[in-house]
Amino acid sequence: MVRIKHRYLLINILYPDPKSTSGRPATKPGDEVPYTVQFRRPSPDRMDGGVLTRLIRDGVAELYGDYGSGKVAGSLQVKYFSQATSTAIVRVSRDYYRLVWAALTFATRLPNPVGQSCVIQVVRVSGTIRKSEEEAIRRARLSIRRAEAAAKSSNAATAGLAAATPQLLSTEDDDADMINGIEDPDDPRDIEEDLDDDEG
Amino acid sequence: MTPQPSAPGPPRPLKRKDAPSSSNTAGSTNHNKRRKTQVALDASGPSKRKDAQSFSATTKNARHDKRRQTTKDARAISSQASSKAFKNGELDVDKFVKAREYEIKALEQGMARAKKALAERAFQQVPKELRRRTASHNVKRVPKRLQRRAAREMVEDKTKSDRRKPSRHMRLRIETAKRLRALSAKQRARKDAVVKDQGTTNVQSDQRPVSVKSRKPRVKKNALKDPPPAPAKFRKRQIGKSWLPTHLYHAKRAHMTSPKEPLWRYAVPLTPTMKSYRPTHRASGDRGAVAWDMSYMATVSLAGTEQSLQGLLRALGIGVSPETKQLWETRGQRWSLGTRVWEGWLYCRDSFPLQAIAPATVIWCAENEPTSVLGAVAEEKANVQRKTVRKLLIRVHPSAFHQLWDEVLRLAKVQKPQVMVEDLRFEIGSIEITGPASTEALLGALWPNTSTSCRDWPQGSVEATWSSLAEITNPATLPENVLFGFDIVDPRLHHPPRTIAIPQSTRESALLSTLSKWPCDQTQTSPKLFDRNARLKAARALPSQKAINRRKSFAVPGTYPEPKPSDAQIPILLYATRNLQSRNGGQSRAQGTWNFLLPWKAVLPVWYSIMYYPLSTGGQPRFGGLREKRQIVFEAGVPWFPGDFPGTAAGYAWEVREREKRKEDWAKRPRGKRTEWSSVDLGNGKKGEIGDGWACDWERLLTGMAPPTTGKSAEAAGDPSSKSDSVSPPPKLCHITSAAASSLLSGSSPLHNIDLSTALATVTLDLLVRGVPQTCARIYRLPSSSAIDPTAISLRNSWLALVPTPESRRRGREQKQPFPSRLRRDAPPHVVHRQLAQSLLKPPQAGEDEYPVCPGEEDLIGFVTTGNFNLGEGRGTGIGCILLGRVLDRVREGRDEGMKGRLCVVRNAGQSVGRLARWDIAG
């Protein structure tokens, strides 16, 4: 018997429009929310796995027509969606995951009950759900560290203790760099190697 | 919907809106309802189709659905809603971090739960070594705790069970068993009736003897011993062989020698039925202990005056060579006083460097008045010593026993006064145990006997010293070859054993001082094991298991029964040995070994006590078979007798036996699937394996190239000792021990009477490149550098080019992969060029055209007798034998070139690829 093979796409949803999102910076004076926290906002309450599925299906149908939606429909499934962190894991058959990826990349707006502009990043493609979960954990850890570091530095700046913090920061996370406004850019080789692991 | 964001409780499937408890409908409809809510979310085709099916709900489907649902639940990952995580939708660092933490926890839990809920059948949970192929069809094959679950699973997924109609043979056996049961029941009833009659009438009581006093059997001196009569029940199964004392234990747990082909006239355990060797490897070196029942080792006892015993041992080649001469002087004093053992080779009478018989252990019996000062040799004592009878034991492998026995018997009669020789084969058994926990296990099993009620032995006594060794994790840390002789109590009285208290390191200094002073040298008294009466007494005093059980039941719960003065005192001799040489001189990992001798009858209780000892590091000691023994020794780089010594009679017999077995295995295979020896490509247009492919073909090695015309070999053929061997006359091979061989190669000793054309030395082989040598692999030397033939010179040079330089070795270590990964299609040109350059510089790999061919048959020097993957080294290694005469000139001419003289090429039988290796004298 031949195993049915899937791909698992780890997705981050970003909400670039600051006005319409649910997560607004706290209004308390003097309490500035760091940029890293603002960058990754929670999803609105009405957004869920179903909406994401619909978005993908519509997107695939729009880009690839009946052929694409037929190929994708059988295996498409949202395995995990977290509103608070705007992270999702989408499963799709191995042969057609590129269609889904394209649909996600071209999506600019969440469908109707939510109706909000968005950017979707596919941050990891893996052959097993386990690996994508591990990656999600790694990224969550990373963003925790970044947020804490940013909060600390802003606090330190207000308290006038700026001298001590750079050392702390440099030891803690060297990888918390931002390149072109995107955190943790992926090495394209990572994804390909990951695929190679699984195809054997 | 979800609990506190910081601590996800039992995670629930994604966005389920109805709580399962809210609907009180029947189970199946409940699921459908749940499913429906999920359909909107999943929106995947298959789940809809399943829904339609489950509406026609039979009970089977319901069960199926339930299982699906549970797996689905297990795989779902809980998630957090934004409104929960962020109050009023306000962004906040603290909340942001909490939301991430929740996600991490949820994902980790999800992974753990999904793994647990994998469709893992019960038999898949069993550790690898306990897995049975039949376990998926037969519930009885899994451990008891899993049997119920396995049975349920079998019903659930409709596995066909193994319950078949018993076969004809099986039915016959069942019938016989039934009839036997009926018969024994009838007999028991009759016996009971007789007893009742006696109880009532007391008529026949005076006719029955009260107790029969058994006469002591006369000691058969200078005669071979018969195996002890087996119990009637097992007699038929021991015709032509005898069982070890632990046979029943092993027969249940190990593959034994087949009934028709015993090894050395014993039924020997070959390998445990537990699969995989790796746990044994770990137990022998890293954690745990491995034990063997070595009762098949033969023991010969000699008794006579010290002078005649010395004469006998000298004639056997002990302490004859200039290096070992000191054995009879100050250096061997501890040995001859009976506090150390000696291990080494024995030879035929007065033929020291030639005609080796076997490696043996020689143990002197200590005398009862302990000598206070070692060095003091009192003149007046000498006279007494000349008269007193001393004893010693020689322990030798059973394959060489008869040869040694004949030799010893002949020598004993020549001595003046004569030496009495006694065969103790079925009277003394032995156990061997190795591994870091071996000392601990032995301390738990061997309790020194207490003659008085108190358990305190005088400071420095043998028993006290033995009991203070609990911290030792390697017997090799003890003084070399130390010997303990003391009595132990019946281990069944303290069975099941308990983990001993291991003292903490505060007492380390005490242990160190013990090890350095070694008080046993002064306090060792004459071990009772040498005394025949003590041995017999111990064997007779062993109570029945029934009696032991009764005593245990009278004991206070949780305590062992009180010792009684009438308890059996089992005499033992315990000694620690270390592997003389281990691979690469790495002494750190080399584990020593505990050996102990004890009366044959006492082996079984002690064995059980060791096997069930709960180690402080967890688990119990493992047992090994012959294969484990060989492999552990092999991994230490030490040759194994007899297999690795084809130059001895016993070793040659082993080789012949193995050869036949391999030939049979080969012949069994269909023609298309076995190696066709005649078409093996040897390079340079030569075809066909050298000699028999299934053999280490020593005959071909000796006669194949050079016709036997020398007078010396004819002389060796007419040697009387080679005739005594019953198998087939060995081809005039002569084993040269390691010391003699290395001195020969270094040129320090003259070539006196050694015939170089037949002198064999055992060597270890380290492969310098890849590859795993197998048994029977052919060993070639490199063509001579002074050869006239230019092709030979170029062949030599191309082999020498393969020798890894330190630089390339370092580079290989730095690179993670030994081979460059395949280039990507769009690789930039400079990467392609680099790779091309690297591939040009690299030495040729096997299979490429430039890879050198094997040297010709004229350069064949020997065969690999044991070759395998070496778990200790992490690569293949080998132990083989080579003809010294063929390598002597290479070693001498290569002496100033470092290791070049000892390079060789190893080619597995039936293959054409040779591998570059380096040989070294073993042992």
Side-chain angles (χ1 to χ4, degrees):
Chain A
M1 209 174 79
V2 181
R3 196 172 124 198
I4 302 165
K5 292 193 174 168
H6 293 298
R7 285 283 168 261
Y8 295 85
L9 313 184
L10 180 65
I11 290 168
N12 276 340
I13 307 177
L14 307 177
Y15 298 98
D17 191 3
K19 277 165 271 171
S20 57
T21 47
S22 60
R24 274 178 298 277
T27 45
K28 262 184 262 172
D31 193 12
E32 277 180 23
V33 177
Y35 180 61
T36 43
V37 174
Q38 285 185 45
F39 191 75
R40 307 216 171 276
R41 294 181 189 213
S43 299
D45 273 343
R46 269 179 293 176
M47 176 67 189
D48 61 9
V51 176
L52 186 61
T53 317
R54 196 137 46 83
L55 178 142
I56 295 169
R57 267 196 292 169
D58 294 349
V60 170
E62 191 187 340
L63 290 172
Y64 300 100
D66 286 348
Y67 166 78
S69 54
K71 286 295 183 195
V72 161
S75 60
L76 183 67
Q77 198 182 358
V78 175
K79 279 286 179 188
Y80 170 70
F81 179 75
S82 158
Q83 281 183 350
T85 54
S86 301
T87 314
I89 296 172
V90 175
R91 187 196 75 178
V92 67
S93 81
R94 189 181 66 174
D95 300 333
Y96 303 103
Y97 78 93
R98 286 187 183 80
L99 311 189
V100 173
W101 192 341
L104 287 168
T105 308
F106 282 118
T108 52
R109 197 170 179 78
L110 293 177
N112 221 354
V114 188
Q116 192 176 333
S117 62
C118 70
V119 171
I120 301 181
Q121 288 180 317
V122 175
V123 291
R124 170 90 176 191
V125 180
S126 73
T128 57
I129 191 165
R130 190 188 172 79
K131 285 287 166 191
S132 56
E133 283 169 340
E134 278 169 5
E135 175 72 8
I137 290 172
R138 193 183 73 82
R139 280 168 181 280
R141 289 227 170 93
L142 198 63
S143 57
I144 287 174
R145 260 191 290 155
R146 273 187 198 131
E148 278 173 347
K152 213 178 275 172
S153 68
S154 67
N155 286 347
T158 50
L161 284 168
T165 40
Q167 285 176 344
L168 260 178
L169 271 182
S170 61
T171 51
E172 252 185 10
D173 44 6
D174 306 320
D175 48 354
D177 296 340
M178 306 273 278
I179 295 174
N180 298 333
I182 299 174
E183 296 168 320
D184 191 27
D186 275 309
D187 195 359
R189 260 184 319 178
D190 286 352
I191 292 172
E192 279 196 20
E193 275 171 15
D194 181 40
L195 297 188
D196 288 344
D197 290 346
D198 195 63
E199 271 166 18
Chain B
M1 199 186 102
T2 42
Q4 287 302 309
S6 56
R12 289 193 222 153
L14 184 65
K15 289 289 276 181
R16 194 186 301 150
K17 291 214 170 91
D18 56 340
S21 57
S22 63
S23 60
N24 278 333
T25 47
S28 59
T29 52
N30 189 9
H31 290 308
N32 294 332
K33 215 173 193 177
R34 250 194 258 173
R35 179 73 40 67
K36 262 186 199 164
T37 59
Q38 288 206 334
V39 168
L41 168 80
D42 294 336
S44 54
S47 74
K48 252 180 203 167
R49 207 165 54 231
K50 289 279 150 55
D51 259 7
Q53 276 179 359
S54 59
F55 272 118
S56 63
T58 59
T59 50
K60 210 186 288 169
N61 270 354
R63 195 164 56 201
H64 193 67
D65 275 0
K66 195 176 157 197
R67 241 181 117 184
R68 274 186 67 88
Q69 190 58 44
T70 44
T71 38
K72 200 160 198 174
D73 283 354
R75 284 182 187 170
I77 309 159
S78 74
S79 64
Q80 202 182 16
S82 316
S83 52
K84 277 272 179 204
F86 298 90
K87 285 273 159 54
N88 307 326
E90 281 179 356
L91 274 183
D92 180 4
V93 176
D94 192 34
K95 297 275 167 55
F96 178 87
V97 168
K98 283 235 171 87
R100 256 76 192 165
E101 277 170 356
Y102 180 92
E103 186 183 53
I104 290 171
K105 266 183 199 155
L107 286 171
E108 276 172 350
Q109 274 186 1
M111 277 197 279
R113 242 169 337 117
K115 194 177 181 195
K116 219 171 162 189
L118 275 180
E120 198 180 37
R121 295 273 306 264
F123 61 84
Q124 289 171 314
Q125 287 193 331
V126 181
K128 238 176 231 155
E129 58 202 32
L130 294 176
R131 294 213 181 148
R132 304 283 173 269
R133 186 193 157 111
T134 42
S136 55
H137 292 276
N138 188 350
V139 179
K140 293 267 169 70
R141 299 275 178 194
V142 294
K144 273 212 176 108
R145 69 192 158 80
L146 291 173
Q147 283 183 2
R148 269 178 65 188
R149 195 184 138 191
R152 200 182 60 229
E153 280 170 358
M154 272 175 70
V155 173
E156 267 173 17
D157 48 19
K158 293 187 283 186
T159 313
K160 276 185 187 158
S161 90
D162 198 25
R163 201 59 62 73
R164 273 166 297 174
K165 200 176 147 197
S167 66
R168 208 167 73 177
H169 180 67
M170 197 65 183
R171 272 207 308 280
L172 281 179
R173 287 194 63 171
I174 290 171
E175 265 172 34
T176 316
K178 206 189 273 175
R179 234 178 274 152
L180 276 175
R181 227 175 287 136
L183 197 70
S184 68
K186 210 188 274 176
Q187 270 181 345
R188 207 177 302 131
R190 203 182 297 152
K191 212 185 267 172
D192 286 349
V194 169
V195 171
K196 209 181 272 174
D197 278 358
Q198 280 180 8
T200 51
T201 59
N202 218 352
V203 175
Q204 297 169 328
S205 61
D206 45 26
Q207 287 179 4
R208 291 194 144 212
V210 182
S211 69
V212 180
K213 197 165 189 187
S214 60
R215 223 151 48 87
K216 225 192 288 174
R218 207 154 48 84
V219 190
K220 272 206 258 176
K221 289 272 162 73
N222 300 355
L224 285 175
K225 184 163 279 169
D226 293 327
K233 200 173 160 191
F234 302 129
R235 201 164 295 154
K236 246 171 119 181
R237 288 151 68 183
Q238 296 187 57
I239 295 169
K241 61 172 177 288
S242 11
W243 284 358
L244 301 181
T246 57
H247 180 85
L248 290 187
Y249 177 92
H250 279 109
K252 289 172 188 170
R253 297 165 177 88
H255 295 295
M256 311 293 287
T257 49
S258 78
K260 291 274 166 55
E261 299 165 331
L263 258 184
W264 315 305
R265 318 206 85 197
Y266 288 97
V268 177
L270 295 178
T271 184
T273 44
M274 286 200 187
K275 303 190 175 195
S276 89
Y277 164 72
R278 198 177 283 267
T280 306
H281 168 78
R282 288 206 193 102
S284 72
D286 300 340
R287 202 180 75 163
V290 190
W292 291 269
D293 181 5
M294 299 293 279
S295 299
Y296 55 79
M297 292 294 267
T299 315
V300 179
S301 151
L302 304 180
T305 59
E306 185 154 0
Q307 219 172 5
S308 43
L309 284 179
Q310 271 194 21
L312 192 148
L313 292 182
R314 268 181 217 271
L316 286 174
I318 299 180
V320 175
S321 74
E323 298 98 55
T324 56
K325 225 162 208 157
Q326 289 196 319
L327 204 59
W328 298 111
E329 291 152 20
T330 47
R331 214 168 198 203
Q333 205 168 24
R334 289 208 173 92
W335 169 55
S336 49
L337 283 177
T339 58
R340 297 284 189 280
V341 301
W342 175 88
E343 284 190 323
W345 279 84
L346 299 184
Y347 299 84
C348 287
R349 179 181 177 182
D350 294 332
S351 59
F352 160 62
L354 305 170
Q355 294 177 42
I357 297 176
T361 311
V362 179
I363 307 171
W364 283 93
C365 177
E367 278 169 296
N368 249 342
E369 65 270 20
T371 44
S372 51
V373 188
L374 269 177
V377 181
E379 278 299 317
E380 62 267 24
K381 265 191 176 176
N383 262 334
V384 185
Q385 270 178 4
R386 217 165 282 155
K387 293 274 169 59
T388 52
V389 171
R390 292 205 63 188
K391 288 176 181 173
L392 63 83
L393 291 181
I394 302 179
R395 206 163 156 261
V396 74
H397 196 272
S399 60
F401 168 71
H402 287 282
Q403 197 186 355
L404 181 75
W405 175 261
D406 289 348
E407 212 62 44
V408 166
L409 213 57
R410 207 173 308 142
L411 282 169
K413 283 175 184 159
V414 177
Q415 306 302 324
K416 275 177 197 159
Q418 273 196 14
V419 172
M420 298 300 269
V421 189
E422 196 183 346
D423 174 14
L424 296 181
R425 268 183 309 164
F426 301 100
E427 211 161 307
I428 290 184
S430 61
I431 293 176
E432 191 176 317
I433 182 166
T434 184
S438 53
T439 315
E440 188 201 337
L442 281 188
L443 276 168
L446 308 179
W447 287 19
N449 185 46
T450 47
S451 47
T452 56
S453 58
C454 65
R455 283 199 61 187
D456 289 329
W457 300 283
Q459 188 68 32
S461 68
V462 179
E463 288 89 350
T465 313
W466 164 243
S467 310
S468 69
L469 295 180
E471 282 166 282
I472 284 181
T473 53
N474 186 354
T477 50
L478 294 173
E480 201 171 354
N481 293 339
V482 283
L483 176 76
F484 300 88
F486 55 94
D487 295 351
I488 58 166
V489 297
D490 189 346
R492 288 175 298 173
L493 288 174
H494 52 88
H495 191 85
R498 291 180 202 146
T499 310
I500 56 167
I502 294 175
Q504 292 309 308
S505 47
T506 49
R507 283 188 53 216
E508 204 169 82
S509 59
L511 179 68
L512 283 179
S513 77
T514 308
L515 288 183
S516 56
K517 281 180 196 153
W518 206 248
C520 293
D521 287 341
Q522 277 83 45
T523 55
Q524 177 72 58
T525 53
S526 170
K528 282 202 204 135
L529 192 75
F530 286 91
D531 181 12
R532 184 165 180 276
N533 286 333
R535 284 195 307 261
L536 284 179
K537 204 178 139 200
R540 288 211 185 104
L542 283 177
S544 67
Q545 187 62 49
K546 222 174 177 180
I548 297 265
N549 290 347
R550 202 180 306 127
R551 265 178 79 181
K552 278 165 96 174
S553 67
F554 285 138
V556 180
T559 60
Y560 293 132
E562 286 289 308
K564 282 198 287 194
S566 61
D567 279 345
Q569 302 180 3
I570 303 170
I572 66 164
L573 271 182
L574 176 72
Y575 61 94
T577 56
R578 40 177 102 157
N579 284 331
L580 293 177
Q581 166 261 9
S582 70
R583 196 170 277 281
N584 298 339
Q587 292 296 321
S588 57
R589 276 181 62 86
Q591 270 284 337
T593 309
W594 284 109
N595 296 276
F596 62 99
L597 314 183
L598 68 174
W600 186 265
K601 290 252 172 73
V603 171
L604 187 62
V606 175
W607 176 258
Y608 270 105
S609 215
I610 291 174
M611 282 293 112
Y612 289 101
Y613 174 76
L615 298 174
S616 62
T617 49
Q620 291 159 349
R622 305 171 64 85
F623 73 95
L626 202 64
R627 253 173 59 185
E628 279 67 30
K629 175 90 201 141
R630 289 190 69 181
Q631 183 71 17
I632 286 176
V633 171
F634 165 72
E635 286 180 354
V638 178
W640 174 76
F641 185 85
D644 292 324
F645 298 99
T648 61
Y652 190 74
W654 174 266
E655 158 62 21
V656 169
R657 186 192 144 95
E658 290 294 292
R659 185 183 291 185
E660 274 162 15
K661 211 184 277 170
R662 281 192 289 259
K663 186 185 176 185
E664 251 171 47
D665 288 346
W666 177 82
K668 251 193 289 188
R669 300 174 72 81
R671 196 174 283 276
K673 288 186 178 167
R674 67 190 183 196
T675 315
E676 196 55 53
W677 301 116
S678 59
S679 59
V680 175
D681 184 15
L682 296 186
N684 286 344
K686 278 174 286 182
K687 281 216 159 192
E689 186 53 79
I690 301 172
D692 291 331
W694 53 74
C696 297
D697 210 337
W698 300 108
E699 297 87 340
R700 172 73 176 250
L701 179 64
L702 289 181
T703 61
M705 290 314 290
T709 49
T710 51
K712 273 181 183 171
S713 59
E715 202 175 279
D719 199 270
S721 74
S722 61
K723 273 180 200 161
S724 68
D725 185 43
S726 59
V727 192
S728 59
K732 300 159 263 169
L733 289 172
C734 165
H735 177 70
I736 303 290
T737 47
S738 58
S742 26
S743 67
L744 197 66
L745 288 176
S746 62
S748 61
S749 79
L751 299 174
H752 34 230
N753 43 4
I754 296 176
D755 176 15
L756 274 177
S757 65
T758 58
L760 267 189
T762 306
V763 294
T764 57
L765 294 161
D766 278 314
L767 262 59
L768 300 179
V769 282
R770 311 176 62 206
V772 177
Q774 300 292 337
T775 307
C776 293
R778 274 64 176 145
I779 308 174
Y780 299 86
R781 60 188 175 189
L782 295 185
S784 171
S785 58
S786 52
I788 308 148
D789 192 6
T791 53
I793 295 281
S794 74
L795 185 62
R796 178 186 169 84
N797 289 337
S798 56
W799 275 113
L800 286 178
L802 292 183
V803 178
T805 53
E807 222 174 77
S808 69
R809 214 174 271 167
R810 187 153 24 89
R811 208 185 306 135
R813 222 176 291 141
E814 277 165 12
Q815 284 173 354
K816 218 174 168 189
Q817 298 165 313
F819 307 102
S821 55
R822 196 157 36 91
L823 280 181
R824 288 164 64 186
R825 222 171 295 149
D826 55 344
H830 72 273
V831 175
V832 178
H833 286 306
R834 195 176 55 200
Q835 179 129 355
L836 181 67
Q838 274 177 354
S839 71
L840 287 177
L841 284 176
K842 203 169 285 169
Q845 300 283 326
E848 290 173 6
D849 284 344
E850 303 91 65
Y851 195 76
V853 297
C854 264
E857 194 182 340
E858 68 280 359
D859 285 323
L860 187 70
I861 52 174
F863 298 95
V864 173
T865 47
T866 313
N868 207 339
F869 190 80
N870 187 331
L871 281 180
E873 297 278 305
R875 63 203 170 90
T877 57
I879 289 178
C881 279
I882 56 174
L883 276 183
L884 276 182
R886 299 211 176 170
V887 292
L888 203 57
D889 53 332
R890 295 289 197 281
V891 172
R892 290 194 176 155
E893 87 190 19
R895 191 173 295 150
D896 36 329
E897 298 174 291
M899 65 172 188
K900 269 185 195 168
R902 301 197 168 194
L903 286 180
C904 59
V905 176
V906 178
R907 179 180 62 83
N908 282 340
Q911 294 178 5
S912 47
V913 178
R915 302 286 188 183
L916 194 65
R918 185 186 130 85
W919 59 266
D920 255 316
I921 295 291

